[in-house]
Amino acid sequence: MPNDASGTPMTVTLLGTGTSTGVPVIGCDCVVCRSDDPRDTRTRCSCYIEVEDLGLLIDTGPDFREQALREGLERIDAVCYTHHHFDHIVGLDDLRPFFFRNRAPLPCYADPKTASVLRRNYDYIFGEDRYPGAPRVTLHDVDAPFRIHSRYGEAASVRVIPLELYHGDLMVYGYRVGRFAYLTDVSHIPEATFEQLDDLDVLVLDALRPESHPTHFSFDEAVAMAQQIGARQTYFIHMTHNVRHADADASLPADIHLAHDGLTVCVDG
Ligand SMILES: [Zn+2]
Ligand SMILES: [Zn+2]
């Protein structure tokens, strides 16, 4: 039944929770990179949302293939891109296996700038002269809420709201589905976007590391934002190797948690 997913419970799986290098960092022997706590291993950020019968993916980073295998992802009805940086897009070609048993084109959504970068970088997928083995995706520039429909024949559909954020000077998208919002790669939330973040059950938010950074929230900034937004629960993502899971998680307020790869969160409708 078409709806805006308010009142519909959802399951959100954080496929990856690390910064652009991933953790461990190649060549680093710091305590976090050598940690044997599995929560200190962080692949690049991506998120899978199950709502009604639908599976929505946010971003396809360089670890997407491994993440999809690890979590046993079986269906994707749409992909929502946050921005064009490599750690959020370069797994795009690994969407191909999702066409082996279902040839229906897979819609991808992005802001116009991200869409133009995707068209340019992946002309064998999006161009006139498409490579026969390329994933069958359609790319939609969006600047307003849109609706995702099933690729697998069910009547289910869900409304998705793109949210304007700033990653340094770069405008990027966060996404809201029902009472869930995902805000990665953000250092500033405009006032108009704040108003779209009311009544959240679960918020996923960028929190790079304790020290400040020009294009990501630091821990203190992210805690302040989370408290201002006031979701029932907030989970931090996009952490560097400066962050040891056990220590950092213990230092956060009770309704704010450090996410880790593979964490699954239920969202109340
Ligand atoms: Zn990123
Ligand atoms: Zn390290």
Side-chain angles (χ1 to χ4, degrees):
M1 226 190 57
N3 67 70
D4 66 358
S6 288
T8 309
M10 278 176 263
T11 304
V12 171
T13 302
L14 296 168
L15 301 176
T17 58
T19 193
S20 57
T21 55
V23 180
V25 177
I26 294 172
C28 185
D29 64 355
C30 78
V31 289
V32 177
C33 289
R34 285 184 295 110
S35 166
D36 52 18
D37 182 341
R39 300 171 303 175
D40 286 325
T41 293
R42 303 184 180 110
T43 60
R44 271 58 71 89
C45 284
S46 175
C47 168
Y48 184 71
I49 304 168
E50 293 166 86
V51 51
E52 302 272 340
D53 295 314
L54 305 177
L56 270 59
L57 182 67
I58 302 183
D59 291 335
T60 54
D63 303 309
F64 171 64
R65 175 177 172 278
E66 262 180 73
Q67 295 165 340
L69 289 170
R70 188 189 71 212
E71 299 300 330
L73 297 194
E74 286 183 356
R75 70 180 282 166
I76 299 178
D77 294 275
V79 184
C80 301
Y81 283 101
T82 60
H83 64 302
H84 67 271
H85 287 162
F86 96 101
D87 55 323
H88 298 263
I89 65 168
V90 300
L92 200 159
D93 199 274
D94 286 324
L95 292 169
R96 270 186 303 151
F98 290 91
F99 299 92
F100 294 166
R101 282 176 295 169
N102 177 1
R103 305 300 293 170
L106 174 55
C108 298
Y109 298 87
D111 69 275
K113 157 127 185 138
T114 301
S116 77
V117 174
L118 290 173
R119 284 192 187 97
R120 198 171 64 230
N121 287 3
Y122 299 101
D123 70 319
Y124 74 99
I125 296 175
F126 298 112
E128 309 266 282
D129 193 16
R130 200 182 141 264
Y131 175 67
R136 290 165 55 83
V137 290
T138 53
L139 185 56
H140 304 271
D141 301 33
V142 282
D143 58 6
F146 55 93
R147 189 166 278 282
I148 287 172
H149 300 273
S150 169
R151 285 177 65 233
Y152 299 80
E154 303 95 341
S157 78
V158 70
R159 185 170 183 258
V160 178
I161 304 171
L163 304 165
E164 225 179 275
L165 308 171
Y166 284 86
H167 179 29
D169 293 334
L170 179 69
M171 198 276 284
V172 306
Y173 276 172
Y175 288 98
R176 175 171 185 157
V177 182
R179 298 183 65 217
F180 170 71
Y182 183 85
L183 314 182
T184 189
D185 295 62
V186 54
S187 52
H188 172 65
I189 301 176
E191 197 51 49
T193 301
F194 255 110
E195 288 165 21
Q196 297 174 284
L197 294 170
D198 63 318
D199 190 35
L200 289 179
D201 187 54
V202 175
L203 168 68
V204 171
L205 183 62
D206 182 4
L208 190 73
R209 60 184 190 192
E211 301 75 25
S212 67
H213 188 278
T215 65
H216 293 270
F217 285 143
S218 66
F219 270 43
D220 286 349
E221 290 166 334
V223 167
M225 286 300 143
Q227 287 173 336
Q228 219 174 314
I229 293 167
R232 184 181 62 84
Q233 299 291 335
T234 297
Y235 295 86
F236 285 171
I237 56 165
H238 216 290
M239 286 79 67
T240 67
H241 66 150
N242 303 89
V243 179
R244 186 178 192 153
H245 186 99
D247 302 341
D249 193 46
S251 72
L252 292 170
D255 54 352
I256 303 179
H257 319 274
L258 211 64
H260 58 81
D261 285 25
L263 178 70
T264 294
V265 179
C266 294
V267 180
D268 284 343

